[in-house]
Amino acid sequence: MSDLISLRNFSFSFPEKEIFTDLELEIPLEGVNLLSGINGSGKSTFCRLLLALQTGYRGGLLFNNRDISSVDTQSLAAEIIYLKQPSSLNLLAATPWLDLVVWASGFGSNQYNRADIDEALDFFDLLSYKDKPVWELSEGQRQGVALAALLLNRQKVWLLDEPAAGLDNIRQKKLKKLILEQGKQKGVLIISHRYDLFADISDNIYEIKDKSILLRK
Ligand SMILES: Nc1ncnc2c1ncn2[C@@H]1O[C@H](COP(=O)(O)OP(=O)(O)OP(=O)(O)O)[C@@H](O)[C@H]1O
Ligand SMILES: [Mg+2]
């Protein structure tokens, strides 16, 4: 059975801005799904609400029929990997290698497979940068490190906020290939204004418009 996001009479506002009003929608996460929308429409806010990093919504927001407000964030993190916007928010350690060690060892154990980390870094051509401080990497390289962590989290649903940010054409193609592969095993939800880039690989396309989320395809 595929993973499922359910919105029931769901509304959310910041003090000075209404973002979502009375949404009634199910978003099955099988295959590749795209949630699009213009700048400021509420895409990143939706990610944060789903991961319980933003509270204060009204109505129901459920992941696999469990209300987000009553699920602990650690158990959500075991099921969903969330690529944040901007890339620097995803970096957990001082170098690409150490960052991926954290992911590969499952946050704390000392057991990890070096070959898995090498393979993940190599996918985004980052092997020669693996011991560089992350603050010396370019924006696209930092995004590459964050994306490499996805390769160590294939058992989870991928929630990707603007995954192509900072990537050149070659890396955008690699990313799309990776997302397609993952969509065959587990659900992916891409959150992006780059409709042009991701529409062709998406099975379902949703759009945030006028404080609502509409199914476009
Ligand atoms: N913590 C906050 N407090 C108040 N308003 C906020 C907060 N975070 C976001 N907003 C506002 O909510 C709206 C939605 O922001 P959000 O970051 O979700 O947009 P987005 O669709 O992800 O945009 P982008 O395409 O630029 O990434 C914006 O108008 C923003 O100014
Ligand atoms: Mg955003």
Side-chain angles (χ1 to χ4, degrees), residues 40 42-45 85 161-162 191:
K43 301 183 298 298
S44 295
T45 302
Q85 176 195 33
D161 194 357
E162 300 296 354
I191 313 267

Side-chain angles (χ1 to χ4, degrees), residues 90-109:
N90 297 292
L91 301 180
L92 308 168
T95 68
W97 175 265
L98 292 172
D99 191 273
L100 291 204
V101 165
V102 177
W103 285 109
S105 61
F107 290 79
S109 94

Side-chain angles (χ1 to χ4, degrees), residues 10-79:
F10 175 83
S11 300
F12 176 76
S13 300
F14 286 115
E16 291 180 3
K17 185 168 168 132
E18 195 176 348
I19 305 290
F20 299 115
T21 309
D22 291 337
L23 299 193
E24 204 63 55
L25 182 73
E26 304 236 300
I27 306 178
L29 294 178
E30 200 163 29
V32 179
N33 302 277
L34 173 62
L35 175 60
S36 192
I38 60 172
N39 292 146
S41 56
K43 301 183 298 298
S44 295
T45 302
F46 184 74
C47 295
R48 294 176 51 75
L49 285 161
L50 189 59
L51 270 289
L53 301 172
Q54 174 73 57
T55 54
Y57 64 84
R58 281 169 286 126
L61 172 58
L62 298 91
F63 182 70
N64 292 339
N65 299 313
R66 284 168 301 153
D67 209 302
I68 294 297
S69 57
S70 61
V71 176
D72 73 285
T73 45
Q74 250 185 332
S75 80
L76 270 178
E79 292 181 64

Side-chain angles (χ1 to χ4, degrees), residues 118-127 129 140-141 143-151 163 167 170-176 178:
D118 275 342
E119 193 186 328
L121 288 171
D122 193 36
F123 188 83
F124 287 101
D125 296 322
L126 288 164
L127 266 185
Y129 295 91
Q141 287 167 336
Q143 184 74 353
V145 177
L147 293 171
L150 299 175
L151 287 152
L167 299 188
I170 294 170
R171 286 167 183 79
Q172 286 183 12
K173 284 203 181 102
K174 287 185 166 208
L175 169 66
K176 287 174 76 171
L178 199 58

